[in-house]
């Protein structure tokens, strides 16, 4: 899979994950990736190379705010937090995601023969 | 919008944010490494893993930047920085390319600005395309464009329907006195409705009223803005004040806006008037005196108006056969009248400068191709280590843009200097030259052409490098087939440069030889050591012939008494200036020599007895004029040899009597007392006209030129001669020149054109030489190994030298052949500009070809010697 295709697939979900992680409280970039990894029981490993571009893109779009602060081990770090616009955006993206999940579920739940009545006659 | 400001803000904080990105990144790597440490990995390995997880520092940085939306600007800045570094590493290439671009842009802009604003752009009058000159045409007298007589002008004005208006503006000189030095200014006496017709707007006051014009004198005057500013300090209360013109009081009623007046250089305008002592009857139908201009009615074409004027001319010829038979009317756009003879030479210059620009483009293309080929390997290496193809192309483009930008900057400065130089060096005859400014549009176009060439030819090698598999390049260690194709293109370019350079060389040679031919023309008189002092006797103080005669006598006596003076003489008007031309004379003893339709122009002048000796003109038969030729005595004339040949063939001229055609009632007979050798009064390029010289005392003119011959430098006499005039009349403006200077002024336009063409040819030759040098140096460099092998196999050094020279000369020779053919075709177009040689002049062509070949050979010598000096061992080890 090329870089571009992966980016396409992850684009929507990565933004949603970051927004949600930040809705739990302000955090620096590394902390966000850690938080997502822990919450997903190590299933979701954010590609570090796409985390920061995504953060900067979200900042550029006004969904997150960044300010220099102190990390938990008292080092200078860039701390990201959700803006009100980011909050609203999170709501929309979350709903969209749930709808998408449901749709996926329904498609995958279909048993063989489910389409027969409306299907093409042989 | 918000995005834009954010981006801008970020760009301003660019350096700060670069640091921030690095810091954030460092923090991340450290945190990551700490985690690995906690898992028990040793520190160096921990950091390495952290970096790997990050996926390469640079790419990461790049992506963050791209997300921030300022990437393209930051990239551009970086590209330019890289390009600067790249050019600094190749200073020879950079200087050559920037220099060529600057030269092309500067020269093109300067010359085009002059040509455009002098020749091509409309006159500064509203709807100036409607303005035409209405000429009297008299083919039998060889007069294609002559001025009009007053009665004909009135008839034209009354009859013409295709014109909104017709008017005359008779150029005149006025002596302006009072409130400062006496001054002679050029002006015009204008007919009814002149200002409305020309549309030259007044800044102050009003134009003339109809009742002020064409009657007896009404003393009103409109002054030019230039005079208003210079003499009256731009004081607007000047309207209503009176000034003194030729001793009479005139009321200033208007001031024009700044800009060219009509006629050009006019400082003031007075109404055309017919005072009692110069009644309308003094302007009969055959006296052609008045320049007529007209404004076409809305939507009327020149040919429609011409058709109507043809019909009017035919009616007038029928109604007044003795004056008008055989004459016609010819319309000409006023623009052409004003630009006149300057047109063709300026267009030649424009063509020349276009050729120079073309050479520049080819040269820059060549330089870029050479550089691109030389860099093919570098680019391949960069591709191999992962640079994007887009990046490489962008970097090459940045370099081209930098070259174009620098060249454009220097070129714009050159253009400004060039326009100023042209305006200063241009001959005074070139109209409207003082108004020329650099034309920014053409500067933009030239710049665009240079950029396009730089981009296109910078890109070709980059694309080729991008397309090729990097491995091929690296493996072969040398250029492949594609670069060989580029080499052929470059050879063609070199040949093209030589072809263009040859055309320019031939052009410059033809104009230079014309100039030299003209300078070598024997004017028939001896201008060395002659000072000319010209003046105009105002009518108020010199109302009649006696007063003027008295002045002339005083002047001649006083001038002759100056120290160092050998002889003095006078002539009416200016000796080297416009000729007063008269029609065919009738010889008493051969009244029917010519039919009534034959008109042969004759120059009629009035001179003092000392004129012939002062001008170094020899009396070949009879006597010159002398003190015995007094008013009331026999009317005498000295004619020149051309006159004698033309009208008195087979007769002894002395004692013959003749009269002028069209003298009307009471014909005056002149008795020929002598024959003088011919002189070119009308200019060096014009043939010697038949001429008649009358005695000063019998026809004392008001406008005279005093000629003083001295053994020393005539200029040293200028002050004394002026004082002589002012001792007789302190209020008389004089203008002083030497005859040498007057002759040189005649050559000025040709000197201007041929020296400019010479400069262009030199520039073209230099560029072509750079071009061929570059190609041959490249060829030798590429073949170092091959040459090394040949040396190792025992090839003779002279043989190697000769081979390189031969290849270079093949390029030049191809260009030479094409150039000769093109020059043969183009030279015909400038035939009218040449003097004393054919456009196919073999000497010029041979010389141009020789110069070109010598320069080409010289440019090839250095690369050839380098080839001959190749050391076999070193050359073979190098690879």
């Amino acid at each position: 899979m090329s870089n571009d295709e992966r980016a396409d697939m992850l684009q929507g979900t990565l933004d949603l994950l970051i927004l949600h992680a930040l809705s739990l409280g302000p955090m620096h970039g590394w902390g966000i990736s850690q938080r997502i990894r822990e919450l997903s029981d190590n299933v979701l490993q954010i590609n570090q190379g796409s985390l920061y571009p995504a953060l900067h893109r979200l900042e550029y779009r006004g969904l997150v705010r960044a300010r220099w602060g102190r990390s938990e081990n008292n080092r200078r770090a860039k701390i990201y937090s959700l803006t009100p616009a980011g909050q609203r955006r999170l709501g929309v993206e979350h709903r969209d995601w749930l709808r998408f999940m449901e749709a996926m579920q329904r498609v995958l739940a279909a048993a063989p023969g489910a389409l027969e009545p409306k299907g093409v006659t042989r | 919008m918000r995005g834009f400001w954010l981006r801008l803000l970020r760009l301003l904080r660019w350096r700060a944010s670069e640091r921030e990105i690095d810091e954030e990144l460092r923090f991340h790597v450290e945190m990551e490494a700490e985690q690995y440490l906690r898992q028990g990995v040793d520190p160096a390995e921990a950091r390495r893993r952290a970096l790997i997880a990050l996926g390469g520092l640079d790419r990461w940085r790049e992506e963050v930047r791209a997300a921030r939306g300022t990437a393209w600007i930051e990239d551009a800045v970086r590209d330019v920085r890289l390009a600067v570094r790249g050019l600094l590493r190749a200073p020879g290439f950079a200087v050559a390319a920037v220099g060529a671009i600057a030269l092309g842009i500067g020269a093109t802009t300067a010359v085009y600005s002059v040509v455009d604003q002098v020749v091509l752009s409309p006159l500064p009058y509203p709807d100036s395309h409607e303005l035409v000159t209405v000429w009297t045409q008299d083919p039998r007298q060889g007069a294609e464009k002559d001025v009009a007589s007053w009665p004909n002008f009135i008839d034209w004005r009354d009859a013409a329907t295709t014109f909104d208006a017709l008017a005359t503006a008779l150029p005149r000189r006025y002596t302006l006195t009072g409130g400062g030095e006496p001054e002679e200014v050029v002006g015009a006496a204008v007919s009814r409705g002149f200002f409305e017709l020309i549309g030259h707007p007044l800044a102050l006051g009003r134009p003339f009223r109809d009742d002020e014009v064409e009657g007896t004198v009404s003393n009103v005057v409109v002054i030019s803005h230039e005079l208003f500013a210079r003499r009256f300090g731009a004081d607007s209360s000047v309207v209503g004040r009176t000034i003194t013109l030729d001793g009479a009081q005139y009321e200033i009623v208007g001031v024009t806006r700044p800009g060219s007046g009509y006629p050009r250089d006019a400082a003031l305008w007075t109404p055309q008037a017919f005072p009692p002592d110069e009644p309308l009857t003094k302007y009969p139908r055959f006296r052609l005196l008045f320049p007529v201009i007209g404004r076409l009615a809305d939507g009327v074409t020149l040919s429609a108006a011409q058709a109507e004027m043809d019909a009017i001319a035919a009616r007038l010829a029928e109604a007044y056969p003795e004056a008008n038979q055989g004459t016609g009317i010819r319309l000409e756009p006023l623009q052409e009248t004003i630009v006149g003879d300057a047109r063709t030479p300026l267009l030649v210059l424009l063509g020349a400068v276009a050729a120079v620009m073309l050479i520049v483009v080819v040269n820059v293309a060549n330089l870029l191709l050479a550089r691109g080929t030389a860099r093919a390997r570098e680019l391949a290496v960069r591709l191999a280590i992962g640079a994007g193809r887009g990046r490489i192309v962008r970097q090459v483009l940045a370099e081209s843009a930098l070259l174009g930008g620098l060249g454009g900057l220097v070129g714009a400065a050159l253009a400004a200097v060039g326009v100023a130089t042209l305006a200063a060096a241009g001959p005074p005859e070139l109209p409207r030259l003082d108004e020329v400014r650099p034309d920014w549009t053409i500067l933009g176009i030239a710049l665009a052409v240079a950029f396009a060439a730089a981009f296109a030819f910078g890109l070709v090698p980059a694309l080729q490098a991008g397309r090729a598999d990097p491995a091929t390049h690296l493996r072969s260690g040398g250029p492949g087939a594609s670069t060989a194709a580029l080499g052929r293109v470059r050879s063609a370019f070199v040949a093209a440069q030589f072809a263009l350079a040859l055309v320019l060389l031939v052009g410059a040679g033809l104009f230079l030889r014309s100039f030299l031919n003209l300078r070598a023309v024997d004017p028939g008189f001896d201008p060395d050591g002659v000072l000319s002092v010209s003046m105009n006797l105002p009518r108020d103080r010199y109302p009649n012939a006696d007063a003027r005669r008295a002045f002339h006598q005083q002047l001649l006596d006083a001038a002759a008494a100056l120290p160092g003076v050998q002889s003095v003489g006078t002539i009416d008007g200016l000796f080297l200036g416009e000729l007063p031309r008269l029609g065919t004379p009738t010889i008493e003893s051969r009244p029917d020599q010519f039919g009534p339709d034959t008109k042969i122009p004759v120059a009629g002048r009035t001179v003092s007895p000392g004129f012939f000796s002062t001008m170094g003109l020899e009396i070949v038969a009879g006597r010159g004029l002398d003190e015995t030729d007094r008013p009331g005595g026999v009317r005498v004339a000295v004619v020149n040899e051309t006159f004698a040949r033309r009208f008195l063939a087979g007769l002894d001229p002395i004692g013959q009597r003749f009269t002028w055609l069209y003298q009307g009632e009471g014909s005056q007979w002149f008795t020929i007392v002598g024959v003088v050798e011919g002189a070119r009064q009308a200019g060096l390029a014009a043939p010697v006209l038949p001429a008649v010289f009358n005695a000063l005392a019998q026809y004392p003119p008001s406008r005279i030129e005093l000629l003083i011959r001295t053994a020393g430098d005539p200029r040293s006499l200028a002050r004394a001669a002026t004082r002589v005039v002012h001792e007789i009349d302190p209020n008389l403006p004089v203008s002083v020149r030497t005859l040498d200077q007057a002759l040189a002024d005649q050559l000025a336009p040709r000197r201007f054109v041929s020296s400019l063409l010479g400069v262009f040819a030199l520039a073209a030759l230099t560029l072509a030489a750079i071009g061929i040098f570059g190609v041959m140096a490249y060829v030798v460099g590429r073949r170092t190994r091959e040459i090394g092998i040949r040396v190792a196999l025992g090839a003779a050094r002279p043989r190697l030298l000769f081979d390189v020279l031969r290849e270079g000369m093949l390029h030049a020779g191809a260009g030479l052949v094409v150039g000769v053919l093109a020059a043969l075709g183009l030279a015909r177009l400038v035939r009218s500009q040449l003097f004393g040689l054919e456009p196919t002049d073999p000497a010029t062509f041979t010389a141009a070809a020789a110069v070109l070949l010598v320069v080409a050979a010289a440019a090839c010598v250095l690369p050839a010697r380098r080839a001959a000096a190749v050391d076999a061992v070193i050359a073979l080890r190098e690879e």
Side-chain angles (χ1 to χ4, degrees):
Chain A
M1 211 192 305
S2 86
N3 261 344
D4 287 352
E5 284 168 72
R6 193 166 55 223
D8 269 359
M9 201 184 77
L10 285 176
Q11 188 75 56
T13 51
L14 181 58
D15 286 3
L16 176 57
L17 287 173
I18 291 173
L19 290 175
H20 186 77
L22 284 175
S23 74
L24 305 175
M27 185 48 71
H28 44 71
W30 187 77
I32 293 170
S33 69
Q34 287 305 104
R35 189 175 281 177
I36 292 171
R37 195 161 73 193
E38 282 162 21
L39 290 173
S40 67
D41 288 338
N42 283 336
V43 172
L44 294 178
Q45 303 246 4
I46 305 287
N47 180 345
Q48 315 289 3
S50 29
L51 171 68
Y52 286 91
L55 276 170
H56 282 262
R57 194 167 48 239
L58 291 171
E59 184 192 359
Y60 175 61
R61 280 157 60 196
L63 302 178
V64 306
R65 191 177 18 240
R67 103 166 49 86
W68 286 94
R70 293 278 144 193
S71 69
E72 53 282 4
N73 55 3
N74 205 24
R75 262 201 280 192
R76 200 171 122 81
K78 208 170 176 186
I79 310 287
Y80 294 86
S81 59
L82 219 51
T83 64
Q87 209 96 48
R88 277 196 299 281
R89 184 80 201 160
L90 174 60
V92 174
E93 297 243 330
H94 198 170
R95 216 172 34 248
D96 286 353
W97 175 252
L98 291 180
R99 206 174 295 146
F100 176 68
M101 288 274 287
E102 266 176 67
M104 287 288 283
Q105 208 79 61
R106 269 199 300 274
V107 172
L108 298 176
L115 290 177
E116 207 63 64
K118 289 185 229 164
V120 190
T121 48
R122 283 183 204 154
Chain B
M1 211 48 208
R2 181 169 165 275
F4 172 77
W5 289 114
L6 256 175
R7 241 181 278 196
L8 192 68
L9 202 71
R10 287 220 167 86
L11 187 69
L12 293 176
R13 302 196 312 130
W14 178 38
R15 283 181 180 283
S17 70
E18 282 285 287
R19 262 201 315 276
E20 286 183 7
I21 290 174
D22 284 350
E23 190 172 348
E24 187 173 22
L25 161 81
R26 211 160 42 238
F27 172 75
H28 188 105
V29 173
E30 282 165 12
M31 294 297 281
E32 194 82 12
E34 250 170 56
Q35 198 179 35
Y36 286 122
L37 274 180
R38 275 199 298 273
Q39 292 165 7
V41 183
D42 81 282
E45 177 63 15
R47 183 172 167 76
R48 201 183 69 81
R49 280 203 208 164
L51 284 173
I52 288 173
L54 215 53
L57 283 182
D58 269 344
R59 224 191 103 198
W60 186 83
R61 266 206 205 98
E62 197 83 23
E63 281 181 20
V64 170
R65 259 191 229 110
R68 282 160 62 239
T70 52
W72 66 276
I73 304 184
E74 290 159 21
D75 279 350
V77 172
R78 218 147 18 101
D79 284 340
V80 168
R81 203 183 297 152
L82 264 178
V84 169
R85 241 180 270 149
L87 289 184
L88 285 181
R89 268 201 304 270
F93 162 76
V95 168
V98 168
I101 292 174
L103 185 71
I105 287 176
T108 311
T109 306
V111 172
Y112 182 83
S113 300
V114 170
V115 174
D116 178 59
Q117 284 162 67
V118 172
V119 182
L120 307 173
S121 69
L123 301 173
Y125 312 120
D127 293 322
S128 59
H129 62 277
E130 294 175 352
L131 294 173
V132 295
T133 311
V134 187
W135 295 112
T136 300
Q137 195 177 27
D138 192 346
R140 291 167 312 172
Q141 200 164 343
E144 280 300 306
K145 294 190 272 186
D146 213 336
V147 291
S149 72
W150 184 263
N152 277 344
F153 162 63
I154 296 297
D155 286 339
W156 296 350
R157 190 168 69 179
D158 290 346
T161 59
T162 49
F163 284 89
D164 275 345
L166 289 172
T168 75
L170 180 62
R172 277 197 49 187
R173 286 163 187 278
Y174 300 84
T175 306
L176 179 58
T177 48
E181 283 279 296
E183 175 180 7
E184 194 177 65
V185 295
V186 177
V190 300
S191 69
R192 209 167 277 162
F194 168 78
F195 288 103
E196 292 82 349
L197 183 154
I198 198 82
H200 192 48
L202 298 189
L204 294 170
R206 60 168 177 87
F208 303 133
R209 289 193 310 264
D210 280 359
D211 63 304
E212 288 169 334
V213 186
E214 297 177 26
T216 50
V217 178
S218 36
N219 289 339
V220 286
V221 61
V222 169
I223 63 173
S224 74
H225 198 274
E226 187 268 332
L227 188 67
F228 170 66
R230 177 164 56 80
R231 187 134 181 146
F232 301 101
D235 174 5
S236 52
S237 73
V238 78
V239 173
R241 292 228 301 258
T242 52
I243 56 174
T244 309
L245 293 178
D246 296 343
Q249 303 288 305
Y250 280 75
E251 185 196 341
I252 299 175
V253 297
V255 178
T256 64
R257 292 242 184 96
S260 282
Y262 181 86
R264 182 177 161 247
D265 296 341
L268 52 85
W269 295 263
T270 59
Q272 178 63 49
F274 302 101
D277 64 325
E278 204 178 273
L280 192 47
T281 51
K282 278 192 73 173
Y283 299 97
R285 203 169 281 274
F286 54 75
R287 191 160 170 211
L288 306 186
L289 201 62
F290 296 89
V292 177
I293 55 173
R295 184 176 279 280
L296 295 173
D298 272 352
V300 172
T301 63
L302 192 67
S303 54
Q306 180 68 62
E308 186 192 25
M309 294 316 275
D310 286 346
I312 292 173
R315 277 209 304 281
L316 289 176
E318 207 166 302
Y320 309 98
E322 77 280 10
N324 281 355
Q325 196 163 48
T327 66
I329 297 173
R330 178 171 162 195
L331 302 183
E332 178 185 52
L334 185 61
Q335 172 126 16
E336 280 176 29
T337 311
I338 290 181
V339 174
D341 298 339
R343 188 186 178 85
T344 315
L346 285 180
L347 291 180
V348 168
L349 287 183
L350 192 60
V353 86
V356 171
M357 188 69 205
L358 209 56
I359 293 179
V360 164
V361 167
V362 171
N363 205 290
V364 170
N366 229 341
L367 286 168
L368 283 168
L369 288 182
R371 180 164 168 75
T373 315
R375 286 171 92 193
R377 193 169 166 170
E378 173 204 331
L379 296 183
V381 168
R382 293 193 47 203
L383 271 176
I385 59 173
R389 270 153 213 221
R391 273 224 58 74
I392 286 187
V393 167
R394 275 207 353 226
Q395 195 200 321
V396 169
L397 289 188
E399 198 177 287
S400 293
L402 193 66
L403 289 176
L406 283 176
L409 223 60
V410 181
L414 276 182
V417 173
V419 166
T421 312
L422 287 177
E429 290 83 353
L430 215 54
R432 299 163 68 189
L433 198 56
D434 44 341
E435 300 162 24
V436 171
R437 301 285 171 271
D439 183 322
W440 302 119
T441 315
I442 190 65
L443 183 70
I445 293 173
L447 205 57
V449 168
F451 265 101
F455 278 155
F457 293 101
L459 210 49
V460 171
L463 286 180
Q464 223 136 35
R467 201 180 308 125
D469 178 5
T472 330
H473 254 293
L474 295 179
R475 209 177 303 123
S476 74
S482 60
T483 41
L486 283 188
R488 279 195 294 278
V489 171
R490 298 190 56 200
S491 298
F493 279 174
V494 166
Q497 289 187 56
F498 273 99
L500 287 165
L502 184 89
V503 170
L504 283 177
L505 270 178
V506 167
L510 290 174
F511 276 78
L512 180 68
R513 286 205 61 200
S514 295
F515 168 69
L516 294 178
N517 282 348
L518 196 64
R519 206 176 58 171
V521 165
D522 177 11
F525 57 90
D526 178 11
D528 290 339
V530 178
L531 185 75
S532 144
V533 184
S534 57
M535 66 213 86
N536 194 12
L537 304 180
R539 201 182 291 151
D540 62 317
R541 272 174 288 142
Y542 303 91
N544 53 41
D546 284 335
R548 293 197 289 272
R549 214 161 10 235
F551 174 87
H552 295 155
Q553 198 53 56
Q554 263 181 296
L555 180 67
L556 285 168
D557 290 347
L562 285 173
V565 169
Q566 293 175 331
S567 69
V568 295
T570 66
I571 188 166
D572 60 320
L574 281 176
F575 180 66
L576 280 168
E578 240 169 67
L579 279 182
R581 286 195 305 178
L582 302 164
T584 316
T586 304
I587 310 296
E588 192 181 30
S589 58
R590 285 179 174 171
D592 302 321
Q593 180 169 213
F594 303 103
D597 284 348
T598 311
K599 291 184 186 172
I600 300 163
V602 174
R605 311 299 300 250
T606 303
V607 300
S608 75
F611 171 79
F612 298 117
S613 56
T614 306
M615 296 304 293
L617 293 172
E618 213 171 299
I619 302 296
V620 293
R623 64 167 175 94
L625 299 167
D626 62 30
E627 303 301 333
T628 63
D629 304 318
R630 301 299 302 169
V634 177
R635 291 192 176 86
V636 295
V638 168
V639 298
N640 69 0
E641 289 173 301
T642 316
F643 184 104
R645 255 197 321 275
R646 193 83 182 78
F647 302 112
L648 303 167
L651 296 176
D652 176 10
I654 309 303
Q656 295 290 337
R657 300 211 316 159
F658 68 92
T659 184
W660 300 107
L661 203 65
Y662 295 152
Q663 279 293 310
E665 308 296 314
S667 294
Q668 295 174 333
W669 290 95
F670 296 90
T671 305
I672 296 173
V673 296
V675 178
V676 68
E677 59 181 342
R680 291 175 199 270
Q681 303 183 48
L684 293 174
V688 179
L689 283 181
V692 172
F693 298 93
N694 292 126
L696 176 75
Q698 291 181 338
Y699 294 93
S702 55
R703 181 161 178 73
I704 62 165
E705 179 181 32
L706 173 68
L707 299 156
I708 305 174
R709 174 171 291 281
T710 168
D713 181 357
R715 270 167 306 196
S716 64
L717 266 182
R719 199 179 281 273
T722 309
R723 203 166 50 239
V724 161
V725 174
H726 283 158
E727 271 165 15
I728 306 170
D729 184 342
N731 281 327
L732 207 57
V734 298
S735 83
V736 181
R737 60 177 186 168
T738 66
L739 274 195
D740 272 336
Q741 188 54 46
L743 265 185
D745 285 349
Q746 290 213 329
L747 294 169
R750 278 174 199 272
R751 176 180 287 131
F752 179 65
V753 173
S754 56
S755 50
L756 262 186
L757 274 180
V759 170
F760 290 158
L762 206 64
L765 203 59
T766 310
L767 287 170
I770 291 174
I772 199 166
F773 172 79
V775 165
M776 293 321 294
Y778 167 74
V779 165
V780 169
R782 203 183 57 178
R783 291 210 200 130
T784 305
R785 194 185 163 130
E786 173 206 319
I787 296 171
I789 293 173
R790 286 180 60 190
V791 171
L793 293 177
R797 304 251 171 212
R799 173 82 209 171
L800 292 171
L801 190 100
F802 173 77
D803 278 356
V804 175
L805 269 182
R806 193 191 56 186
E807 186 168 343
M809 297 316 277
L810 275 178
H811 290 123
L816 187 83
V817 171
V818 176
V820 165
L821 292 176
L824 280 174
L826 288 171
R828 264 199 298 265
L829 301 178
V830 296
R831 184 190 288 271
S832 68
Q833 298 298 311
L834 303 181
F835 183 81
L837 77 168
E838 285 299 302
T840 54
D841 184 50
T844 305
F845 273 77
T846 313
V851 167
L852 190 108
L853 288 177
V854 166
V855 167
C860 291
V861 160
L862 209 61
R865 286 183 48 167
R866 214 168 62 199
V870 164
D871 184 312
V873 179
I874 294 175
L876 294 175
R877 200 189 296 141
E878 231 170 38
E879 286 296 324

